[in-house]
Amino acid sequence: WTILFGVPAVDTKKGAYFRKLQRDTFFRYSRVWNYHKNPEATVLAKYLLAYHPRTNYTFSNELLVEAKETQDIIFFDLKEGNWSGAGGKGDGVLLGMSRKAYAFYTFAADMVRADYICKGDDDAFYRLNMM
């Protein structure tokens, strides 16, 4: 691969909606790997998920079906944190995100041959065709 693009995401309805929006837009660029359309692409985009408190630290059935259909989700065996309230991120959220980022970079270094590794967000639009 030329680029491994990891996108941390959560197992919630909002997270599923964001993933769908990204798959329907920039994941359709011809250089982005898509299980159903372009196995010869140069950009490998994967969603990064871990156990979430909103699903009692299990993966929802909806997420498991989505993962089987899309083949673009990496599951990490770690727990996400929870929001602290008042609109801020608590220590648990920050620690969970740090663990997930570390797990992604470790996975990338050990399991994937790519010239470049980058991490994005599930609530953003990327011009992967320009990378």
Side-chain angles (χ1 to χ4, degrees), residues 74-105:
I74 299 171
F75 293 99
F76 292 114
D77 186 19
L78 57 91
K79 291 183 178 181
E80 301 249 22
N82 208 348
W83 291 95
S84 64
K89 293 184 178 182
D91 290 340
V93 170
L94 297 175
L95 182 59
M97 288 298 295
S98 297
R99 275 192 241 144
K100 193 189 296 186
Y102 180 78
F104 168 61
Y105 290 123

Side-chain angles (χ1 to χ4, degrees), residues 22-40:
Q22 289 184 330
R23 287 185 189 110
D24 289 347
T25 56
F26 68 85
F27 272 35
R28 291 186 182 260
Y29 290 139
S30 62
R31 289 181 50 212
V32 178
W33 181 83
N34 179 303
Y35 180 73
H36 302 287
K37 295 185 177 145
N38 191 8
E40 301 300 320

Side-chain angles (χ1 to χ4, degrees), residues 13-131:
K13 288 183 182 187
K14 184 177 180 180
Y17 177 69
F18 284 160
R19 290 189 298 279
K20 180 182 181 336
L21 289 176
Q22 289 184 330
R23 287 185 189 110
D24 289 347
T25 56
F26 68 85
F27 272 35
R28 291 186 182 260
Y29 290 139
S30 62
R31 289 181 50 212
V32 178
W33 181 83
N34 179 303
Y35 180 73
H36 302 287
K37 295 185 177 145
N38 191 8
E40 301 300 320
T42 59
V43 178
L44 178 61
K46 294 285 190 177
Y47 288 103
L48 317 171
L49 280 104
Y51 297 113
H52 196 274
R54 290 185 185 158
T55 55
N56 294 320
Y57 296 109
T58 62
F59 293 121
S60 69
N61 288 333
E62 294 84 2
L63 178 66
L64 297 174
V65 169
E66 175 187 342
K68 186 175 181 179
E69 289 175 357
T70 62
Q71 300 290 305
D72 64 2
I73 294 176
I74 299 171
F75 293 99
F76 292 114
D77 186 19
L78 57 91
K79 291 183 178 181
E80 301 249 22
N82 208 348
W83 291 95
S84 64
K89 293 184 178 182
D91 290 340
V93 170
L94 297 175
L95 182 59
M97 288 298 295
S98 297
R99 275 192 241 144
K100 193 189 296 186
Y102 180 78
F104 168 61
Y105 290 123
T106 301
F107 168 84
D110 293 344
M111 303 298 291
V112 179
R113 293 186 62 168
D115 296 325
Y116 300 96
I117 300 168
C118 59
K119 184 179 78 64
D121 288 308
D122 64 352
D123 61 352
F125 180 86
Y126 296 93
R127 298 284 309 266
L128 293 179
N129 62 326
M130 304 295 286
M131 297 175 115

